[in-house]
Amino acid sequence: YVTNDTINRSSKELIHLLIGSAGLGSNLLLNIGPTPEGEVRQAHKEKLLALGDWLKVYGETIYGTRKSFMKPADWGVAVEKGDKIYLHITKPEKAVKELIIKGFPYNVSKAFCFETGSSVEYKLDKASQSLNIKTAGLENGAIDNVIVLRVSK
């Protein structure tokens, strides 16, 4: 316990920590607790509510997922659930025109933007196991851009 302790990270940073944890197949533990009076500090409450608001929209892309076949990349992480791979692009500046994923072990039947449902252009080269995804529609100011790949083995 530390009196007047605060979470010294922005909501965006905490969401990125959560996404990164999912991409590593791990859990995120925020070391917060109530004050001696049994209350949650306002700064902690605001950050937790922001995480909750983000999860109301993006929870499907986090809850029940497992780490992907690929390691975290400079643009973000990938997680898998069922027949879907969720590409969390937290640094769109690292994926300006396209993402190239090497060693891609699946067939792709559909690629679309999680936020809008709009199709995303992609090309899978099975011989080289390389997947190229066009990233022209990413929002640079967004906390997260998610591309969903519907896949099969």
Side-chain angles (χ1 to χ4, degrees):
Y1 172 77
V2 178
T3 304
N4 298 321
D5 188 24
T6 60
I7 298 175
N8 292 323
R9 295 178 188 262
S10 69
S11 297
K12 181 178 181 176
E13 288 175 297
L14 290 174
I15 291 167
H16 284 185
L17 279 173
L18 176 63
I19 293 166
S21 296
L24 291 168
S26 61
N27 298 309
L28 176 64
L29 175 63
L30 291 176
N31 189 19
I32 66 161
T35 64
E37 294 79 27
E39 297 176 2
V40 176
R41 289 178 189 80
Q42 187 62 33
H44 294 181
K45 185 177 180 180
E46 290 169 6
K47 304 299 183 191
L48 292 172
L49 288 172
L51 274 169
D53 289 343
W54 184 85
L55 282 167
K56 284 178 190 172
V57 176
Y58 292 91
E60 172 188 330
T61 72
I62 298 293
Y63 294 126
T65 61
R66 60 184 174 86
K67 70 178 182 174
S68 177
F69 69 94
M70 61 180 282
K71 293 181 180 175
D74 58 352
W75 50 263
V77 300
V79 294
E80 300 182 21
K81 179 166 61 173
D83 67 344
K84 294 179 184 166
I85 296 177
Y86 299 99
L87 303 175
H88 286 272
I89 304 168
T90 55
K91 295 180 182 169
E93 68 277 6
K94 302 285 186 177
V96 177
K97 294 182 182 178
E98 68 180 357
L99 286 179
I100 300 171
I101 302 174
K102 297 194 182 291
F104 193 80
Y106 302 108
N107 293 313
V108 179
S109 61
K110 184 177 182 181
F112 59 97
C113 175
F114 179 81
E115 293 84 0
T116 64
S118 60
S119 292
V120 173
E121 189 180 337
Y122 68 93
K123 181 181 177 186
L124 177 62
D125 183 344
K126 290 183 183 183
S128 67
Q129 288 189 317
S130 178
L131 177 65
N132 293 33
I133 302 168
K134 300 294 181 192
T135 58
L138 299 180
E139 274 189 59
N140 283 330
I143 290 176
D144 189 16
N145 290 272
V146 180
I147 295 175
V148 183
L149 305 175
R150 182 151 293 133
V151 298
S152 63
K153 291 213 176 204

